[in-house]
């Protein structure tokens, strides 16, 4: 289990780096062109990986439900939106809002599938993320001054 947790954390790091790289490309090329190059290079990499480590029998042996192909559309949409908002919000706020959206959608999916084992922890996680977004927007010096005065100056 630890191995998979580390892989998930590594995936999050890769997503953060990817978002930053795409965001920088988006500043110079625009969100759609940045997304295009992201997917073109990704397609090339996947083609090489399939060629060297797998077979090209995807079209003969597997029946793919058409709704399963929506994952590619959603992935492209995710990259386009990330490229667009990164240029407007910056890296930290983009990551926090994306994670907030992921937490909310995950909570709804778990709720839909009756997987309610950690619903309170998930709600607390969403509240902490939203609080983190609030802290990232607040002028940190003024926030600290107000709170320090409130607790230490009588």
């Amino acid at each position: 289990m630890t191995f998979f947790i580390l892989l998930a954390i590594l995936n999050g790091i890769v997503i953060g780096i990817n978002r930053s790289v795409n965001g920088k490309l988006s500043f110079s090329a625009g969100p759609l062109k940045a997304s295009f190059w992201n997917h073109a290079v990704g397609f090339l990499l996947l083609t090489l990986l399939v060629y060297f480590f797998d077979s090209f029998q995807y079209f003969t042996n597997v029946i793919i439900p058409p709704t399963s192909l929506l994952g590619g559309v959603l992935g492209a949409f995710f990259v386009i939106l990330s490229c667009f908002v990164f240029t407007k919000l910056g890296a930290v706020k983009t990551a926090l809002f994306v994670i907030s959206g992921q937490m909310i959608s995950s909570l709804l999916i778990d709720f839909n599938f009756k997987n309610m084992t950690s619903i309170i922890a998930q709600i607390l996680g969403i509240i902490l993320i939203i609080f983190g977004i609030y802290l990232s927007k607040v002028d940190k010096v003024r926030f600290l001054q107000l709170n320090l005065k409130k607790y230490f100056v009588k």
Side-chain angles (χ1 to χ4, degrees):
M1 185 61 101
T2 304
F3 175 72
F4 294 110
I5 291 171
L6 292 175
L7 276 180
I9 291 171
L10 177 66
N11 190 28
I13 292 169
V14 169
I15 289 171
I17 293 170
N18 176 287
R19 191 176 299 128
S20 177
V21 169
N22 286 342
K24 286 183 180 178
L25 180 59
S26 186
F27 274 119
S28 59
L32 285 178
K33 288 180 185 169
S35 300
F36 171 80
W37 285 112
N38 177 295
H39 285 93
V41 172
F43 176 76
L44 179 64
L45 175 67
L46 282 174
T47 302
L48 292 173
L49 288 174
V50 168
Y51 179 77
F52 287 113
F53 299 109
D54 205 359
S55 66
F56 274 102
Q57 298 178 352
Y58 288 99
F59 301 108
T60 58
N61 293 342
V62 179
I63 297 172
I64 301 172
T67 54
S68 297
L69 299 176
L70 287 175
V73 174
L74 294 172
F77 197 61
F78 167 76
V79 172
I80 292 169
L81 288 178
S82 291
C83 288
F84 183 71
V85 298
F86 184 90
T87 60
K88 307 295 182 197
L89 299 176
V92 172
K93 289 178 186 169
T94 299
L96 288 172
F97 283 118
V98 168
I99 291 169
S100 297
Q102 289 174 336
M103 290 290 291
I104 292 168
S105 65
S106 298
L107 184 68
L108 293 174
I109 290 168
D110 278 354
F111 183 76
N112 190 36
F113 289 109
K114 310 289 188 235
N115 184 7
M116 305 296 288
T117 55
S118 60
I119 191 82
I120 294 173
Q122 291 173 348
I123 290 172
L124 285 174
I126 291 171
I127 290 170
L128 286 174
I129 290 170
I130 291 171
F131 184 67
I133 293 169
Y134 168 75
L135 287 179
S136 72
K137 291 180 69 174
V138 171
D139 181 8
K140 289 154 187 76
V141 174
R142 182 158 169 75
F143 178 79
L144 287 174
Q145 287 174 342
L146 289 174
N147 285 315
L148 291 176
K149 282 182 184 176
K150 186 169 39 173
Y151 291 110
F152 295 110
V153 178
K154 301 282 179 184

